[in-house]
Amino acid sequence: MSVLEVQDLAGGYPGTRVLDGVNLSVADGAVLSLLGRNGVGKTTFVHTIMGMLPGTGSIRFAGEELIGRSTYQIARAGLALVPQGRRVFGPLTVEENLQIAARNARPGKWTPESVYELFPQLADRRANRGSVLSGGEQEMLSIGRALVTNPRLLLLDEPSDGLAPSIVNLVGDVVRSLASEGVTILLVEQNVALALRVATETAVMSKGRITFRGNPEELRSDDGLVRDLLGVG
Ligand SMILES: Nc1ncnc2c1ncn2[C@@H]1O[C@H](COP(=O)(O)OP(=O)(O)OP(=O)(O)O)[C@@H](O)[C@H]1O
Ligand SMILES: [Mg+2]
């Protein structure tokens, strides 16, 4: 059963078509790693799913069409995005960042308190402003903000970007543990090692289309594709 079913999705920016007919389905409970080189349209894709950019075609989530809905409605339906670059509110404290995200949230186990249990380092920082956090702490906060909405489908856009290896591992562990609790994950990554470590399924985007779909073993065994994704050769 697919929880997310994207068909013939086109979109982009005024005067620039970026998504050129994306077809992608994500199975319920999957961790789908979406790989692709710089500028192919990965962020445009997740922003279009979240209703932050207009699109044409179809995006069905649990059978319901998301095209034409507002970002607020899409979040209420159970989708949440951990954006590229984290985007925490710098002037607000950790606690305020989480509380704002938790307003109007869907019911569920995730609250600011359960986020602090997941990331004890964040609990120590709860009175600090977002702007003084380390990159790793900002990533934890950004993940926490998404979790307090109690999503059914979590979209993560390059969470490992710029982080130390220990934090990258932590992000990978969190993704796996969320998946084991039944959250479906769409992980956009350029870190091929992380993407393959956590994925149950993989896809590759190039120039606004999905050009590879398979399980992690199939991707790993395609040397040419992996070299291309790593940007070598
Ligand atoms: N606000 C914008 N206005 C116009 N064009 C944009 C805008 N944002 C991105 N683009 C263009 O859209 C294309 C896809 O960008 P996008 O950010 O979706 O790529 P990406 O795959 O996420 O790349 P990266 O891995 O570097 O994050 C690029 O050519 C980019 O220059
Ligand atoms: Mg991007």
Side-chain angles (χ1 to χ4, degrees):
M1 241 293 284
S2 298
V3 69
L4 186 73
E5 184 89 47
V6 176
Q7 284 176 328
D8 282 330
L9 182 65
Y13 308 90
T16 317
R17 178 163 154 139
V18 175
L19 304 178
D20 187 26
V22 176
N23 291 292
L24 186 69
S25 59
V26 185
D28 202 5
V31 178
L32 189 143
S33 287
L34 176 62
L35 295 120
R37 295 181 73 161
N38 287 320
V40 298
K42 304 179 301 295
T43 297
T44 304
F45 179 51
V46 295
H47 283 181
T48 306
I49 293 174
M50 290 303 297
M52 298 154 68
L53 287 171
T56 62
S58 174
I59 303 170
R60 293 185 84 81
F61 174 68
E64 289 186 43
E65 182 60 55
L66 299 185
I67 293 270
R69 296 217 202 162
S70 69
T71 299
Y72 176 77
Q73 290 171 322
I74 291 167
R76 288 291 299 175
L79 287 85
L81 170 66
V82 180
Q84 186 167 11
R86 344 229 190 265
R87 306 271 168 183
V88 305
F89 296 119
L92 302 186
T93 64
V94 166
E95 179 79 20
E96 288 164 344
N97 268 274
L98 291 174
Q99 276 174 0
I100 284 175
R103 279 194 315 209
N104 301 315
R106 292 151 48 85
K109 71 170 260 194
W110 291 104
T111 61
E113 281 313 312
S114 56
V115 167
Y116 293 140
E117 280 166 32
L118 178 68
F119 298 122
Q121 195 176 338
L122 215 49
D124 297 338
R125 298 289 241 155
R126 68 171 83 193
N128 291 119
R129 289 175 196 274
S131 55
V132 303
L133 303 179
S134 70
E137 289 164 347
Q138 289 191 354
E139 187 61 42
M140 294 173 206
L141 179 54
S142 192
I143 292 172
R145 278 197 319 199
L147 288 180
V148 294
T149 69
N150 287 294
R152 217 179 128 192
L153 174 66
L154 182 63
L155 314 169
L156 297 113
D157 192 356
E158 302 208 30
S160 79
D161 194 15
L163 299 184
S166 61
I167 308 286
V168 174
N169 281 333
L170 175 65
V171 169
D173 293 345
V174 167
V175 164
R176 284 192 138 165
S177 108
L178 291 170
S180 74
E181 291 171 11
V183 181
T184 304
I185 311 263
L186 176 57
L187 172 66
V188 171
E189 257 307 331
Q190 294 216 54
N191 180 331
V192 178
L194 172 67
L196 291 181
R197 178 164 79 84
V198 301
T200 60
E201 303 176 30
T202 62
V204 174
M205 179 177 279
S206 356
K207 293 190 190 151
R209 287 176 179 236
I210 301 299
T211 51
F212 172 90
R213 187 79 167 84
N215 63 42
E217 293 69 37
E218 287 168 316
L219 198 158
R220 196 179 280 117
S221 61
D222 189 332
D223 290 340
L225 181 55
V226 171
R227 263 203 308 277
D228 184 56
L229 289 168
L230 293 170
V232 288

